[in-house]
Structures are given as C-alpha cells and as structure tokens.
Amino acid sequence: MAKSTNKEAPPESEELVKGILEWLALAHGHSEDADELLQQVLKLREAAIGPSPHVKLLDLLFGHAESVLQAELPSLQPPALPVSRKTRQKIKTLLTLLEMLAQEYFNSLAAHYNPQDHLSDERMQASLRRAAQTIATQIHIHHLIAAPPGNGLWQQLNAAYRTARRLGIEQRSGTAGNTSIERLYTDTLLQAIAQPASFSSGELLLISSLTERLGHLVKLAEAPPDAPGDDVFWIDLERDSPAYALVRRQPGEGIRPLYFAGGELAAGVRNIASTLAAGTTAESLGLPEIADEPAGRGVMRRLEKLWGAPARRRFPRRRHAYRARLCLGLEGLHRLLQGEEGGDDVSEWMVTNESPEGYALMHMSGSTARLRVGDIVAIQPREEFSPRVDNWHVCIVRWAISENPEHIEIGLQVLATRALSARIADPSRSGLAPLTALLLPEAPPVRPAQSLITPAGSLAENRRRMVLLIEQDNLQIREVQTGALSEQTGIVEIFTLLPDSED
C-alpha cells in the first residue's frame, strides 16, 4: 500500500533506496543484468517510502529494464523448437521482472485516490501506460518463443485499458511523445489476431513493424458496424483473452464487447506489398529486411486475409489419440518418396484432433531440430505404420506451440493425400543443379490443376520453358511453366503448374 509523503522513511528504507540508486549509477550502460535488476525491483517493493519517490525510482528501474529488453530480445528468437532450457531460464527472469514492474505501477495508482498522496493525472497516465506496456511486452515475448501467453495476462491488459477508458485518458499521448494507451492496446490486439503461433520470430517482427505503421487505422467502438462484414472483430474486456473474429464466434448474452474492423488495415498491407513489388525497398519504408524476402511477401499475403477476411471454420474437429509418423522438410520428403530411409527426418507424434483440412499433433519422439512453421511435411496417419510411400499425406506446418523444453504441439493443413518427387531444370539457372521439388496431383474442385512445391525464392510466376523431371518407376520429362503463386512462406512456395504452350 502506498505510504504518505508526510512521513519520514525509516532508516532501513533509506538504505534500500540508497542501494538502488548506487546500483543504477554503476549499471548505467550495462544491459546484461536482468537478475540484478529484478533484485532492485524487489528491494523497492520492501522500501517504506512515499508514492512520489516510489514512482520516481520505479521509472528509473523501468528505463533500465527497457535497455535490458532491447539487448535480450534478439536472442529470444529460436531457430528451432522447443526452446532450450538455458534460453527459457533467461525468458523466465525477464517475464518475472516485467510482471513485478507491472504490479508496482498498478499499486502506485492507488495513491491517485488518496487525498494525502494524490498523484497528478499526467503521473497516473504515465504509470498506467507503463503497466500496460510491461504486460504487452510479456505477451510479445510469449509470441516470440511460440508459447501461449500466461494465465491472466490478457485479463490484466484488458483491465488496464478498461481503467484508461473509465478515466478518459486512453487516447492521450505521453509528454515524451509516447503513443497512447489505446494505441498500445490495439497494436497488441492486432498482433494477437494475426495468429502469432503460425509465424516465425523473424516474421513476427515484421508484423510488429506493420502494426506500428498501420495501427492508427483501427478504431474501437461499442457497437458493430451497421453492415458488418467479414473483417469485424470483438473483444470482451472482462475476459482473459484477445479479440475474436465475428464470423467465427458471436458475443454471448450479458457481454458488452468492443468492436473493430480490420478491412482498412488489410488494404494498407496490400498497398505496402504492391509498393515493395514495384521496386521500393523495405528500408525506405522503415520495415525490416525480411519484407524484401519471400518470407515477408508471404507474411503480407496472409495478413491481408487474417485481418481483412478471417476464415470461417468449415469442419468440426474430432478428438483422437493415435500415433503418426512425420517426415520433415522438402528434401526429407523427396528422399522418402524415392524409397530412402527417413533417418533424422522422421519423428513420431500423437494425433490429438483432426478434420478433413488438417491435424493437431503432439511430439512423442525423434528430432524436431529441422521443424519450422511454414515448412512442408508428410504425415503417415495410420495406427499401424507401413513401408509404403503412397499413404503419406503432404501438409504444411501452420502453427507450433511449445510450453516447456519437453513439449511441442503443431498444426498441419493437408495439401494433398499423395505427391511425386520431381526436379526442375530452369534455363535461367544455367550451371546450377536442378531444383528439388514435389508435384501435387489435381484434386478438383479445390485444386483443378497440378501444383509444384519448390524452395522459397527459387522460381517466379509465369516462368516458361522449364523441364520437369518426375522420378517415378519410369523417368518422365515434360516442358512446363509456372502459373499463379498460391502459397508463399519463408521456406517453400507453391505454384500452379501448367504445360508450356510457347511455340
């Protein structure tokens, strides 16, 4: 509880304050001390001092925490899942630090209602904003390591925004030019509805940059649009959850949700993608380098749909509990379809639910070092495994979640129930070996033409006069051309495949 500024701090509290100030002076410029910084926050919690000096010290510790995070966040982008124990321990310390800072800022708000210890509206707004910022950062860290946000985090962030609305300060900018609490809140909402588990950490940084650039287009309202479309989302500020798409879930009875539309945001992403395609560099737009790469283009294609037209669920999920084998990566599938042993490419999983569109799996055994969101895999969904290669379903990894070092879950979207190993000889790649590829057969009406899966960035739309080598029992050779690009990630691209009609 906040202490009155009229009372002198006891000697032990004065020693604690002195120790914190000395530590801050020595730690200036050093950012690898998250554990020590956490200890200083705990000391501040023990100090019996008035609310004004308490908040001033808290601000100093918060400023140092920002430096620590700036130094540590790049190292929290795992190349593979699950995250190592060493990295997870570092993450645990950072999350605990942020949690403590948020609690201290929330506690400082109580002084606003105490006549003896009254804080100014500007001071209260700054404390509430920093509380919201530390909670939003915790959510962002969970996204980076493909872990679900901790219990209560969204409830705390929703409560912080609800408090700001009640006090009428949600849209005020900070005195130092900081964004408003509402903007901080909506940017975090947008990143959450982008389904962060379906993107790599590098792709998530691009999404953060896009929300910073376009987030002003999102407006929260107490009523849905007069003619709501597929781009409308709603959020219940009383729940421990982010926003829901209106086409997927309706608010229940007794709920007073807030609504927002993502259509303008999706159009903004489309315009940026067109500008980049016309030759403008990502750097000139203030975006990370990944925006110039196939992975970045794939992110923007998907964000258009996730923010502007979230898909309805077409099929119910059926719960299961049977084992399946998974073969990882384009090269791994290529070897599998040629009859070679899977080796490290094959691992065992438990199917936890499935639908005609895909599977949810939990890892049981085998290496996951090469597992990536957006990569191609094949699953043998049989309770009794077979050496046949024609019962492997080709899928794309849509999301991955890892709550601890021993646990990882993934979601797969089925692309085809069978595939053929192939290679592509492209005249424009003179002197280079043929590309490894997979050929997916037609599957009307979903896929009326054959499709070709290739490494990202290796081909382009409407590439002509290519030679396709299909490696079945008998070698087949065809002259083909690529059609439309139907899927694009940082690892693979999928093109419609057409016969080359050029004379």
Side-chain angles (χ1 to χ4, degrees), residues 364-410:
M364 302 297 291
S365 64
S367 174
T368 61
R370 287 192 284 273
L371 177 66
R372 302 287 189 277
V373 173
D375 204 357
I376 292 295
V377 299
I379 180 174
Q380 192 179 41
R382 301 287 186 271
E383 296 187 19
E384 295 184 4
F385 301 138
S386 163
R388 294 164 45 207
V389 299
D390 61 351
N391 63 351
W392 289 80
H393 295 184
V394 179
C395 307
I396 190 167
V397 182
R398 283 303 185 198
W399 55 262
I401 293 176
S402 174
E403 296 188 52
N404 60 62
E406 288 80 28
H407 183 83
I408 181 170
E409 297 180 31
I410 60 174

Side-chain angles (χ1 to χ4, degrees), residues 2 81 89 111 153 181 197 243 261 265 282 303 384 409 411 446 450 468 491:
L81 293 174
Q89 183 57 46
L153 276 180
I181 295 173
L265 191 73
L303 282 182
E384 295 184 4
E409 297 180 31
V446 177
Q450 292 181 328
L468 174 69
I491 305 172

Side-chain angles (χ1 to χ4, degrees), residues 17-179:
V17 170
K18 181 179 178 182
I20 294 171
L21 291 172
E22 289 177 348
W23 181 87
L24 282 167
L26 292 173
H28 182 70
H30 298 280
S31 57
E32 298 179 357
D33 47 19
D35 287 291
E36 294 182 23
L37 178 55
L38 176 58
Q39 295 306 312
Q40 304 309 310
V41 176
L42 292 172
K43 288 180 182 179
L44 178 61
R45 174 172 285 189
E46 296 175 9
I49 58 177
S52 182
H54 179 276
V55 172
K56 288 180 180 178
L57 271 176
L58 187 59
D59 285 346
L60 293 174
L61 294 171
F62 176 87
H64 193 73
E66 288 188 307
S67 299
V68 171
L69 287 166
Q70 187 175 7
E72 294 288 359
L73 283 182
S75 67
L76 305 184
Q77 301 172 29
L81 293 174
V83 175
S84 69
R85 287 184 179 275
K86 181 179 180 181
T87 301
R88 200 171 289 273
Q89 183 57 46
K90 183 188 296 185
I91 290 167
K92 182 179 180 181
T93 301
L94 291 173
L95 291 175
T96 302
L97 170 62
L98 291 166
E99 180 183 356
M100 292 293 182
L101 288 170
Q103 289 174 356
E104 289 303 293
Y105 275 118
F106 276 131
N107 291 340
S108 73
L109 295 176
H112 180 73
Y113 301 100
N114 188 331
Q116 294 180 321
D117 302 324
H118 182 74
L119 296 177
S120 67
D121 287 348
E122 290 77 14
R123 176 65 265 175
M124 183 185 60
Q125 176 195 352
S127 292
L128 187 57
R129 186 192 182 283
R130 287 180 172 174
Q133 185 176 344
T134 56
I135 298 167
T137 303
Q138 291 178 70
I139 293 173
H140 179 62
I141 290 174
H142 280 93
H143 291 168
L144 285 178
I145 62 170
N151 290 335
L153 276 180
W154 271 105
Q155 197 155 30
Q156 291 176 45
L157 186 59
N158 290 341
Y161 178 65
R162 187 173 65 244
T163 300
R165 281 177 62 91
R166 186 177 70 248
L167 298 173
I169 60 174
E170 76 276 15
Q171 295 182 357
R172 293 185 191 174
S173 299
T175 54
N178 296 322
T179 58

